[in-house]
């Protein structure tokens, strides 16, 4: 299993809309995440920062991430969500959410 944590900014003027969308995520988006071996996916907010965490339980992370990115309903969801978010300056090239290194884990 691969654990993935990442962060992105959420301007205060978009907080209510973002949280409203995430109170009722589109079923097709959730189905695609499950089909792509994403488990225990959570998003938390601290002020103007969103923190996400999920566990990847599949065998081919790159292929499953590509399947998510190619999914038309997910693309439509992202088109709605991206204007609400503010990527961090320190994100890597090609990242939208900035992936964080794991420093500690205890089972």
């Amino acid at each position: 299993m691969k654990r993935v944590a990442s962060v992105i900014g959420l301007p205060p003027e978009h907080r209510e809309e973002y949280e409203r969308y995430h109170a009722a995520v589109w079923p097709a988006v959730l189905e695609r995440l499950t089909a792509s071996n994403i488990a225990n996916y959570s998003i938390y907010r601290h002020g103007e920062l969103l923190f996400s965490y999920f566990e990847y339980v599949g065998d081919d992370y790159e292929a499953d991430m590509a399947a998510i990115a190619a999914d038309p309903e997910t693309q439509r969801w992202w088109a709605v969500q991206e204007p609400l978010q503010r990527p961090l300056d320190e994100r890597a090239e090609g990242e939208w959410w900035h992936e964080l290194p794991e420093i500690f884990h205890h089972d």
Side-chain angles (χ1 to χ4, degrees), residues 8-28:
I8 198 166
L10 179 68
E13 64 269 20
H14 299 306
R15 178 182 304 160
E16 189 175 310
E17 184 176 5
Y18 188 87
E19 290 181 2
R20 181 176 49 80
Y21 273 111
H22 284 79
V25 176
W26 302 344

Side-chain angles (χ1 to χ4, degrees), residues 3 18 26 28 48 50 52 65 69 81:
R3 292 178 296 277
Y18 188 87
W26 302 344
E48 295 182 26
L50 295 172
S52 78
M65 295 304 103
Q81 299 307 307

Side-chain angles (χ1 to χ4, degrees):
M1 184 216 8
K2 173 183 174 76
R3 292 178 296 277
V4 179
S6 55
V7 292
I8 198 166
L10 179 68
E13 64 269 20
H14 299 306
R15 178 182 304 160
E16 189 175 310
E17 184 176 5
Y18 188 87
E19 290 181 2
R20 181 176 49 80
Y21 273 111
H22 284 79
V25 176
W26 302 344
V29 171
L30 297 176
E31 290 167 10
R32 177 72 261 166
L33 291 172
T34 300
S36 291
N37 298 297
I38 301 296
N40 294 321
Y41 194 171
S42 299
I43 299 175
Y44 299 87
R45 183 184 54 77
H46 177 72
E48 295 182 26
L49 189 68
L50 295 172
F51 168 82
S52 78
Y53 171 84
F54 66 83
E55 296 168 352
Y56 176 71
V57 296
D59 297 321
D60 190 342
Y61 183 75
E62 297 303 322
D64 280 326
M65 295 304 103
I68 291 170
D71 178 61
E73 194 68 358
T74 299
Q75 290 174 3
R76 198 166 72 83
W77 173 261
W78 288 348
V80 172
Q81 299 307 307
E82 287 178 0
L84 304 176
Q85 302 166 343
R86 183 181 61 236
L88 304 182
D89 292 339
E90 60 267 29
R91 73 185 191 268
E93 185 176 333
E95 279 186 331
W96 184 252
W97 284 68
H98 174 57
E99 190 169 329
L100 302 173
E102 184 174 290
I103 304 301
F104 173 79
H105 176 78
H106 173 72
D107 268 333

